[in-house]
Amino acid sequence: MSDSDADRTIRPETSGLNSEDPEEPESDVTESTGETVTLRIFRYDPEVESKQDAGFDTFRIPTHEGMTILDALIEARDEQDPSLTFRHSCRQGVCGSDALFINGSQRLGCKTQVSELKEPIQIEPLPHHPVVKDLVVDMDSFYERMRAVEPYFDPDDPPPDELTERYQSRENREDVKLSTRCIWCGACTSSCTIASNEDVYLGPAAINKGYRFYADEREGEDRAEERLEILQEHDGVWRCQTQFSCTNVCPQDIPLTEHIQQIKRDATKADLRFW
Amino acid sequence: MTDRRSRFESGSIAWFLQRVTAVVLLFTLGFHFLWLHFVNHAAEVTLWGSALRMDRFVYFIMIVVFLVTAAYHGLNGIYNALLNHGLSGRRRTVVFWLLTIAGTVLVIQGIRIAVAMAGVIS
Amino acid sequence: MGAPYDRGLIEDFGRFRYFSAGMWAWVLHKVTGWVLIGYLFAHIAVLSTAIPAASDPEAIAAGTDLYTRTIQGLEGIFLVRVLEVGLLAAAVFHMTNGIRLLLVDLGIGLEREAEGFYVSVAVTAVITVLSIPVFLPPEVVPW
């Protein structure tokens, strides 16, 4: 593409999509209210000369009741600029693909209502990751840290026979319940100042994942001890500064800080125990 | 991501001590401010007045506890702040020892002052 | 594919308008911590004048020893008095927010940490204002 800067502000009139006549019934249940929302979207494309200098494009998108940021982005891409790039899959807050930096905070595009935000809504890629193109970031360092905590069920003893189910007590299920909600979207780790340096800190998502198995009694005491070790290596829980950013941004409402603090307390008790 | 640590390199002890010293400092720093600014005014400090305070054994002990906990809490705080910014490897070792030496000098000098003050009254 | 784009430090420091209570608490705790440890070193340096002064009992009795002169000289400087108010504010915030952090470490009231920060700021403000007459010389305090 070789748009000039002026061309990069695209207005809905040119798209000719929405009828301005409110009388005319539409088949779509999410009916347009005839209002528009202004989005400022971060653009960067190393393969297109005019977009090698990162900047913002302004889009005006016709809104409807219940419109999410992801809906607006899809509208912008499908009707106005097909080169606009972002990740999304399930569109319902389960896959964790569309964590974005929206008006200064990490949010899932599909769980954020356009009507809740102050305009112009500024949409940027997830901070603390290299930008690949537009809103797409390279999340390798995030996944690597998730893998570092060995995020799989790994019991001390195999079940007595292969077909035995491993039951978990109701109480223990409650302990791990919230931690299992994680969808690996990376919002928390992106929000953490310390985790911005991958060599310094595992980050909240990885620690929460470690906590999920550490707190699971079915794994056994030996494995729990190993998990505590993994979680407090020099880049582990001790780097948490209780900024609460992770807990504030988590789209799944996981009490991340609480889980990290629990690991700190348990590790301290284990290390101070001399009997 | 790194090899296993020993119990004594553990972050847990440092983390715990930072909290313990915090609790001690809540009392000692609070007392220090009340006593030396609100009860006795800083502008009216004389060596004789300081010596009279330091001559009391309980006060002497408290001031030394204050000094030691403040030095640990403050320098460990600096160390943590630097670790959070990515200090690692050889530079981390150098900074650790520099801070340890600075803390030791601070505590020794502080105790020398306290002893000198207490020695005025004899 | 071309090089990925690194947006650098703007992501941390260009965003202060959007900081939450927990972030502000962290920033202020750190700043006040640096102030306090810096002051501790300066304080010990000034008090070190007691060591040479202690060997001159006549000067001590007359109140003209090095230690007394140094401290009263410093206290005579208006800027020093103002900085002392700032020091008190730093100490009080570090202590009240420190209590908040201790509670967080004990797992108490994590869902109300933001209110804890606002309380820390309010307590600091009140104590600082109330202490101004104590720190500043009487002739400059209008009440």
Side-chain angles (χ1 to χ4, degrees):
Chain A
M1 287 189 52
S2 58
D3 328 31
S4 73
D5 276 359
D7 289 336
R8 290 174 68 185
T9 297
I10 302 165
R11 305 199 174 270
E13 299 88 83
T14 61
S15 74
L17 174 78
N18 273 83
S19 162
E20 291 292 315
D21 184 1
E23 301 295 307
E24 192 177 324
E26 285 182 45
S27 56
D28 197 339
V29 283
T30 54
E31 202 174 314
S32 168
T33 55
E35 289 169 7
T36 58
V37 62
T38 307
L39 307 180
R40 286 190 77 229
I41 302 178
F42 181 89
R43 302 303 300 270
Y44 170 71
D45 186 348
E47 292 176 343
V48 174
E49 205 173 322
S50 66
K51 293 180 186 169
Q52 282 170 358
D53 288 330
F56 285 86
D57 279 358
T58 302
F59 289 81
R60 287 175 65 87
I61 307 294
T63 57
H64 54 72
E65 195 175 348
M67 186 182 229
T68 64
I69 292 293
L70 181 61
D71 293 336
L73 285 172
I74 290 172
E75 175 83 17
R77 179 195 63 195
D78 291 356
E79 304 297 336
Q80 299 185 14
D81 181 354
S83 73
L84 179 63
T85 309
F86 49 95
R87 293 171 67 218
H88 66 97
S89 178
C90 77
R91 312 185 187 193
Q92 52 189 325
V94 179
C95 71
S97 304
D98 66 340
L100 295 163
F101 198 57
I102 303 167
N103 272 11
S105 179
Q106 285 80 359
R107 311 173 206 247
L108 282 191
C110 59
K111 283 187 81 170
T112 305
Q113 291 286 312
V114 164
S115 57
E116 282 172 10
L117 298 168
K118 226 175 95 180
E119 284 190 60
I121 298 171
Q122 184 148 321
I123 305 175
E124 296 165 72
L126 218 44
H128 303 131
H129 295 285
V131 181
V132 178
K133 183 185 174 189
D134 292 349
L135 300 176
V136 177
V137 294
D138 178 352
M139 293 188 61
D140 280 356
S141 80
F142 174 76
Y143 297 134
E144 193 189 311
R145 283 182 274 181
M146 292 301 271
R147 281 194 294 272
V149 298
E150 304 173 12
Y152 41 82
F153 187 66
D154 184 16
D156 286 344
D157 308 304
D161 79 79
E162 276 177 31
L163 296 174
T164 310
E165 276 186 72
R166 291 185 161 251
Y167 291 118
Q168 186 174 28
S169 70
R170 282 176 182 278
E171 295 73 27
N172 191 224
R173 171 64 194 163
E174 286 302 309
D175 290 340
V176 302
K177 185 174 79 181
L178 296 176
S179 66
T180 64
R181 287 180 177 177
C182 179
I183 54 174
W184 296 48
C185 69
C188 59
T189 302
S190 167
S191 77
C192 175
T193 315
I194 316 300
S196 66
N197 184 340
E198 61 181 302
D199 298 326
V200 171
Y201 181 36
L202 279 170
I207 293 173
N208 176 70
K209 190 52 82 179
Y211 171 90
R212 182 255 170 276
F213 293 104
Y214 161 76
D216 192 323
E217 287 166 354
R218 296 171 298 175
E219 278 201 344
E221 282 181 18
D222 292 347
R223 188 59 177 142
E225 206 173 299
E226 283 170 26
R227 291 217 180 264
L228 268 190
E229 295 286 319
I230 295 170
L231 290 175
Q232 30 161 355
E233 277 158 15
H234 77 87
D235 40 13
V237 286
W238 307 117
R239 298 272 67 78
C240 166
Q241 302 292 297
T242 60
Q243 292 173 336
F244 287 92
S245 304
C246 56
T247 306
N248 290 339
V249 301
C250 178
Q252 297 294 89
D253 296 326
I254 302 170
L256 292 154
T257 311
E258 199 175 317
H259 292 161
I260 299 170
Q261 295 296 84
Q262 181 72 46
I263 297 284
K264 287 182 192 166
R265 287 196 296 273
D266 286 6
T268 305
K269 283 179 204 156
D271 280 357
L272 290 176
R273 188 194 291 271
F274 51 85
W275 55 90
Chain B
M1 282 193 253
T2 49
D3 35 332
R4 292 267 181 267
R5 70 210 168 81
S6 88
R7 178 178 172 142
F8 295 101
E9 300 162 18
S10 136
S12 67
I13 304 295
W15 181 82
F16 184 65
L17 282 178
Q18 189 76 352
R19 270 76 199 158
V20 172
T21 52
V23 174
V24 173
L25 287 167
L26 280 176
F27 292 99
T28 49
L29 178 60
F31 171 82
H32 190 69
F33 254 105
L34 272 181
W35 199 245
L36 291 172
H37 286 285
F38 292 88
V39 178
N40 301 284
H41 290 198
E44 293 145 22
V45 161
T46 60
L47 183 51
W48 184 249
S50 299
L52 277 178
R53 282 190 288 274
M54 204 58 82
D55 190 45
R56 269 183 279 172
F57 186 67
V58 177
Y59 187 91
F60 182 90
I61 291 297
M62 193 218 69
I63 218 79
V64 170
V65 169
F66 180 31
L67 175 70
V68 172
T69 51
Y72 177 83
H73 190 89
L75 294 170
N76 187 49
I78 290 179
Y79 185 56
N80 276 326
L82 296 175
L83 291 189
N84 292 338
H85 283 287
L87 181 73
S88 63
R90 178 190 283 275
R91 286 173 60 207
R92 174 182 168 137
T93 314
V94 171
V95 168
F96 175 85
W97 286 110
L98 282 178
L99 290 173
T100 305
I101 292 166
T104 310
V105 169
L106 185 75
V107 167
I108 291 174
Q109 181 68 0
I111 291 174
R112 284 182 64 214
I113 295 167
V115 169
M117 284 180 178
V120 168
I121 316 239
S122 49
Chain C
M1 199 180 84
Y5 184 68
D6 180 0
R7 294 196 292 152
L9 284 178
I10 183 133
E11 299 190 324
D12 286 328
F13 301 107
R15 301 283 167 211
F16 60 89
R17 278 185 301 140
Y18 300 110
F19 276 7
S20 58
M23 274 300 283
W24 278 118
W26 176 70
V27 169
L28 289 176
H29 202 76
K30 200 162 153 137
V31 170
T32 52
W34 281 101
V35 168
L36 291 171
I37 187 65
Y39 177 75
L40 179 59
F41 277 91
H43 194 43
I44 291 294
V46 169
L47 297 188
S48 293
T49 52
I51 296 173
S55 54
D56 188 352
E58 282 167 28
I60 294 172
T64 56
D65 60 275
L66 178 63
Y67 174 88
T68 306
R69 277 188 284 122
T70 305
I71 290 185
Q72 296 197 345
L74 283 171
E75 288 291 331
I77 301 168
F78 181 68
L79 180 64
V80 171
R81 298 278 195 116
V82 173
L83 288 176
E84 273 184 331
V85 178
L87 180 71
L88 176 88
V92 173
F93 176 79
H94 204 82
M95 287 164 81
T96 48
N97 190 56
I99 293 171
R100 167 181 168 273
L101 290 174
L102 286 169
L103 292 175
V104 165
D105 286 331
L106 292 169
I108 299 168
L110 266 70
E111 61 290 335
R112 292 199 298 177
E113 55 84 23
E115 287 86 340
F117 169 66
Y118 302 136
V119 169
S120 305
V121 172
V123 169
T124 305
V126 168
I127 293 184
T128 305
V129 170
L130 290 179
S131 74
I132 288 176
V134 177
F135 282 92
L136 297 189
E139 57 272 20
V140 299
V141 180
W143 62 86

